[in-house]
């Protein structure tokens, strides 16, 4: 089930109405930015305590009733409800609490759990590493990685050493992908594809969705060896082991396997530098037959560099934590990488997806 149009357009204001960046900034908007970290903590606490589910199930509860249901002391309950109401996630009338419309709408959909998985990712994967955002900008490097236990060269090679973080990360990646791959499945025409290579396909969420929607295709997933067992497990659970196979390997160090007419990078090229992305796209170009296609699927920012705001906020994570490079790049940046990799600019196709996440695809043909 997808988010309704009203809910989709309202999710960005889920915890009130901070400035969009388009109107002149005033002191209220500046205060929103100053205390944005605290606003998020209210959202995370409400999600972890299941406050919103409680009010959905029992609308009109009083302050005392909410505290009793959640098992919170009076002061703690007062703090939580002060934040929830002042930020707009709850409304209070005659001492009785109700959900904001956007939350009421979202809770009716399958996307509610996906939203909560995203909140958990921000809390348990992203939040601490963002402390090093300024130093990451100064050094143009992912300084926040020092806060993740392990010795791997990037976040992805350290996840297996951090079981809780790994669990949160892959739940989020599946949910974030599902928020957008509903549109990917509906919009992307794979009628001319027989074999698709999914580079860095994680737990196979996108390959599974595309294989189910396109029974004629087979897929291979190029994934690092530590993640490969998880990938194979998810494929087996989907009953697709006969059509989706895992190719353990490092897409940066290893050559791409041959025999595929479509190469897809899903939520991959936001991680690396433009130079690294160009190198990956060149590998795809060399592995593809004439007429083969490459698909870039992830969030995109505007060519003008002025938004959308979700793309800007998400870029803090890519700057501070996962690897030495990455951000939510513009459409034009990817097209420049494609040209440098050998693809003809006249073949480029942009498709922006609807909804509150800034997802889309760029397709290029060899």
């Amino acid at each position: 089930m997808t988010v309704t149009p009203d809910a989709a357009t309202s999710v960005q204001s889920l915890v009130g109405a901070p400035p969009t960046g388009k109107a002149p900034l005033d002191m209220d908007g500046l205060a929103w930015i100053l205390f944005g970290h605290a606003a998020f903590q209210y959202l995370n606490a409400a999600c972890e305590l299941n406050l919103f589910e409680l009010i959905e199930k029992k609308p009109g509860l009083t302050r005392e009733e909410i505290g009793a249901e959640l098992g919170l002391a009076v002061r703690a309950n007062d703090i939580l409800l002060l934040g929830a109401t002042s930020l707009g996630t709850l409304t209070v009338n005659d001492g009785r609490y109700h959900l904001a419309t956007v939350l009421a709408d979202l809770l009716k959909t399958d996307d509610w759990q996906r939203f909560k998985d995203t909140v958990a990712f921000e809390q348990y994967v992203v939040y601490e590493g963002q402390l090093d955002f300024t130093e990451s900008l100064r050094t143009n490097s992912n300084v926040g990685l020092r806060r993740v236990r392990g010795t791997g060269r990037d976040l992805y090679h350290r996840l297996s050493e951090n079981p809780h973080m790994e669990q949160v990360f892959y739940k989020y990646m599946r949910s974030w992908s599902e928020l957008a791959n509903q549109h990917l499945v509906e919009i992307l025409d794979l009628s001319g594809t027989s074999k698709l290579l999914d580079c860095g396909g994680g737990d196979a969420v996108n390959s599974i969705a595309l294989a189910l929607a396109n029974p004629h295709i087979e897929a291979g997933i190029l994934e690092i060896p530590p993640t490969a067992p998880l990938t194979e497990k998810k494929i087996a659970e989907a009953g697709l082991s006969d059509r989706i196979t895992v190719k353990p390997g490092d897409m940066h160090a290893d050559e791409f396997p041959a025999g595929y007419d479509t190469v897809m990078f899903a939520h991959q090229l936001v991680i690396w530098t433009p130079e690294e992305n160009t190198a990956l796209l060149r590998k795809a170009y060399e592995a593809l037959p004439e007429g083969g296609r490459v698909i870039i699927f992830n969030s995109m920012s505007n060519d003008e560099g002025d938004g959308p705001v979700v793309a800007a906020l998400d870029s803090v994570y890519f700057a501070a934590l996962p690897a030495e490079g990455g951000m939510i790049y513009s459409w034009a940046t990817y097209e420049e990488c494609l040209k440098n990799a050998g693809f003809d600019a006249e073949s480029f196709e942009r498709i922006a997806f609807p909804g509150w996440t800034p997802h889309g695809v760029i397709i290029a043909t060899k």
Side-chain angles (χ1 to χ4, degrees):
M1 183 183 297
T2 59
V3 178
T4 62
D6 287 344
T9 55
S10 301
V11 168
Q12 290 184 53
S13 57
L14 185 55
V15 289
T20 64
K22 303 299 183 183
L25 186 66
D26 59 15
M27 280 307 301
D28 286 341
L30 193 58
W32 256 99
I33 299 171
L34 176 61
F35 294 104
H37 61 292
F40 171 77
Q41 289 303 327
Y42 274 116
L43 177 63
N44 181 68
C47 287
E48 292 195 358
L49 293 167
N50 293 318
L51 171 64
F52 302 134
E53 289 90 342
L54 172 64
I55 302 302
E56 180 195 35
K57 183 178 179 181
K58 299 179 179 181
L61 290 177
T62 65
R63 179 185 301 269
E64 293 76 17
E65 290 168 337
I66 292 171
E69 291 276 357
L70 298 181
L72 294 178
V74 172
R75 183 189 69 91
N77 190 52
D78 286 350
I79 293 170
L80 178 65
L81 294 180
L82 172 64
T85 52
S86 62
L87 294 171
T89 56
L90 297 184
T91 61
V92 58
N93 187 23
D94 292 330
R96 297 190 175 275
Y97 291 81
H98 297 270
L99 288 172
T101 300
V102 63
L103 274 164
D105 289 344
L106 192 57
L107 274 154
K108 296 172 185 175
T109 74
D110 294 337
D111 283 340
W112 172 242
Q113 185 57 52
R114 296 174 183 130
F115 181 83
K116 288 186 71 173
D117 290 343
T118 304
V119 173
F121 170 76
E122 293 295 321
Q123 176 73 3
Y124 293 107
V125 178
V126 179
Y127 216 86
E128 187 176 5
Q130 289 182 336
L131 293 173
D132 293 313
F133 178 54
T134 302
E135 192 61 24
S136 296
L137 294 178
R138 286 195 179 109
T139 62
N140 196 32
S141 181
N142 56 327
V143 179
L145 183 64
R146 66 184 178 180
R147 301 179 186 272
V148 179
R149 180 172 56 87
T151 58
R153 69 174 184 264
D154 53 41
L155 174 65
Y156 312 102
H157 287 84
R158 296 190 185 187
L159 286 174
S160 61
E161 301 176 65
N162 297 273
H164 178 255
M165 179 180 285
E166 181 180 43
Q167 181 184 30
V168 170
F169 179 88
Y170 282 111
K171 280 188 69 176
Y172 156 75
M173 281 304 303
R174 173 165 287 269
S175 291
W176 190 246
S177 293
E178 287 174 345
L179 282 168
N181 72 20
Q182 302 167 73
H183 304 302
L184 181 71
V185 167
E186 294 168 359
I187 294 171
L188 186 62
D189 181 5
L190 292 180
S191 59
T193 294
S194 60
K195 296 193 70 175
L196 179 144
L197 180 65
D198 184 356
C199 294
D203 68 353
V205 58
N206 296 305
S207 286
I208 289 171
L210 291 173
L212 290 173
N214 300 272
H216 64 283
I217 71 169
E218 296 179 8
I221 298 178
L222 182 60
E223 186 53 76
I224 58 175
T227 305
L230 171 65
T231 311
E232 291 171 340
K233 178 183 176 184
K234 292 295 185 181
I235 294 168
E237 289 173 354
L240 290 169
S241 298
D242 59 329
R243 293 177 51 211
I244 305 176
T245 56
V246 180
K247 310 288 185 182
D250 185 327
M251 63 182 174
H252 295 283
D254 302 329
E255 294 303 313
F256 287 3
Y260 294 91
D261 52 49
T262 301
V263 175
M264 180 173 70
F265 295 95
H267 294 126
Q268 278 297 313
L269 302 190
V270 291
I271 301 170
W272 319 110
T273 66
E275 294 76 18
E276 289 171 314
N277 287 341
T278 298
L280 290 171
L281 291 167
R282 187 174 294 117
K283 283 188 174 185
Y285 183 87
E286 292 169 351
L288 284 168
E290 200 70 25
R293 299 190 303 168
V294 67
I295 298 165
I296 300 172
F297 164 50
N298 49 233
S299 296
M300 312 281 185
S301 62
N302 301 337
D303 289 346
E304 296 78 13
D306 60 354
V309 68
V310 174
L313 298 178
D314 201 15
S315 290
V316 177
Y317 161 70
F318 290 105
L321 191 58
E324 290 192 6
M327 64 175 289
I328 305 301
Y329 291 109
S330 69
W331 300 84
T333 298
Y334 287 123
E335 290 173 343
E336 187 65 23
C337 292
L338 285 164
K339 284 189 286 186
N340 291 337
F343 290 93
D344 184 353
E346 292 188 5
S347 74
F348 297 169
E349 180 182 5
R350 296 184 183 188
I351 305 174
F353 292 174
W356 66 275
T357 68
H359 279 87
V361 297
I362 298 177
I363 303 169
T365 303
K366 179 174 177 178

